[in-house]
């Protein structure tokens, strides 16, 4: 148990569906992140939020829409996805700006787009 | 931009043997380096990190890593492998984004432990 909880753990969706991934952290951290983990590729940083403000969008397609209503919750809204978007989506949190602070990861949501 | 290279996508060792997982980094500033482990169907768990100070860093589960600036390396070792060490291991370097902490990961090394 890392203190970062992601739901659902598994999600199968059609290309025309709309779904959302949820992440919640109980660590009192200020920064939250979405990463994408695809087979045989390095983890890719998608979005960074610090104190609820988005500070990085790593050229992510607009079919992925993040939302951070407060420092403890992070969502990733999905719509009109493509099969190549199938991956493990990992949420993480850390104590803000400090580079020495490690990120704590959730268990991920395994997304399959059919 | 920073980058991380992990040599060997798959490493296989016998139980009780030395584990050595290689990581080299590229950074224009003094790096902060991390090793994470990922078990099947799980997220990433921190094994250890180097920030400043002592270059030999000890982590959980008997793992350690040594920061060698001259070689731009941060290899992960464990003297004696256990079956429970079978997992995927990721080396990462951090940099600031203006807010938050951006981790750049290597492609990972899958460790297999055989009897």
């Amino acid at each position: 148990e890392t203190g970062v909880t992601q739901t659902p753990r598994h999600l199968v969706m059609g290309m025309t569906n709309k779904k959302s991934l949820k992440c919640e952290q109980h660590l009192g951290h200020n920064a939250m992140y979405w990463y994408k983990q695809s087979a045989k590729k390095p983890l890719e940083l998608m979005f960074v939020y610090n104190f609820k403000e988005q500070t990085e969008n790593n050229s992510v397609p607009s079919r992925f829409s993040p939302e951070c209503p407060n420092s403890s919750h992070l969502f990733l809204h999905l719509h009109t996805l493509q099969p190549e978007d199938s991956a493990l989506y990992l949420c993480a949190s850390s104590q803000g700006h400090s580079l020495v602070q490690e990120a704590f990861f959730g268990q991920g949501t395994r997304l399959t787009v059919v | 931009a920073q980058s991380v290279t992990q040599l060997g996508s798959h490493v296989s060792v016998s139980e009780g043997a030395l584990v050595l997982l290689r990581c080299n980094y590229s950074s224009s500033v003094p790096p902060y380096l991390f090793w994470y482990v990922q078990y099947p169907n799980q997220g990433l768990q921190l094994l250890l990190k180097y920030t400043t100070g002592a270059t030999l860093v000890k982590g959980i589960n008997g793992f350690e890593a040594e920061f060698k600036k001259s070689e731009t390396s941060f290899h992960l070792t464990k003297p004696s492998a256990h079956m429970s060490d079978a997992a995927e291991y990721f080396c990462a370097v951090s940099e600031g984004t203006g807010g938050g902490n951006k981790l750049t990961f290597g492609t990972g090394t899958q460790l297999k432990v055989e009897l």
Side-chain angles (χ1 to χ4, degrees):
Chain A
E1 178 59 51
T2 64
V4 181
T5 304
Q6 290 186 243
T7 54
R9 292 291 310 276
H10 300 272
L11 178 63
V12 179
M13 61 185 288
M15 289 189 285
T16 59
N17 292 158
K18 290 184 179 181
K19 297 287 184 182
S20 296
L21 310 185
K22 179 182 177 182
C23 177
E24 183 175 2
Q25 58 97 359
H26 306 277
L27 301 168
H29 290 163
N30 304 320
M32 296 188 77
Y33 313 79
W34 281 116
Y35 283 86
K36 177 183 178 182
Q37 186 178 28
S38 305
K40 300 181 181 180
K41 294 174 72 174
L43 277 82
E44 302 170 60
L45 178 66
M46 300 175 71
F47 301 103
V48 180
Y49 278 82
N50 192 42
F51 289 102
K52 304 188 298 179
E53 299 298 319
Q54 187 179 123
T55 57
E56 179 138 347
N57 176 338
N58 202 21
S59 302
V60 180
S62 60
R63 57 185 184 271
F64 295 91
S65 175
E67 178 189 2
C68 189
N70 54 61
S71 293
S72 299
H73 293 85
L74 184 65
F75 296 88
L76 188 62
H77 303 300
L78 315 171
H79 63 97
T80 60
L81 294 191
Q82 303 299 311
E84 60 265 29
D85 296 323
S86 298
L88 182 67
Y89 288 85
L90 291 165
C91 174
S93 71
S94 71
Q95 194 54 39
H97 291 78
S98 175
L99 299 183
V100 307
Q101 296 299 325
E102 65 270 25
F104 291 76
F105 286 81
Q107 293 183 305
T109 295
R110 174 69 63 186
L111 174 66
T112 303
V113 181
V114 296
Chain B
Q2 298 177 325
S3 65
V4 174
T5 302
Q6 290 184 242
L7 293 176
S9 58
H10 292 81
V11 170
S12 183
V13 300
S14 300
E15 190 174 34
L18 171 72
V19 175
L20 171 61
L21 304 182
R22 300 179 185 276
C23 173
N24 288 87
Y25 68 90
S26 170
S27 175
S28 58
V29 298
Y32 298 101
L33 297 159
F34 304 80
W35 275 101
Y36 283 86
V37 60
Q38 185 177 33
Y39 298 100
N41 300 313
Q42 299 292 319
L44 278 68
Q45 178 184 2
L46 181 72
L47 276 177
L48 49 80
K49 66 180 181 182
Y50 169 78
T51 55
T52 59
T55 56
L56 182 63
V57 181
K58 295 185 184 298
I60 62 171
N61 302 338
F63 284 94
E64 60 184 37
E66 186 171 11
F67 169 61
K68 292 187 177 181
K69 184 179 179 180
S70 61
E71 299 178 7
T72 61
S73 69
F74 190 56
H75 301 330
L76 182 70
T77 60
K78 182 174 181 178
S80 177
H82 191 272
M83 295 296 289
S84 61
D85 295 325
E88 190 156 22
Y89 292 79
F90 294 91
C91 182
V93 61
S94 73
E95 62 180 313
T97 66
N101 181 356
K102 176 179 177 179
L103 287 172
T104 299
F105 287 87
T107 50
T109 298
Q110 187 72 46
L111 175 66
K112 182 178 180 181
V113 182
E114 299 174 318
L115 288 172

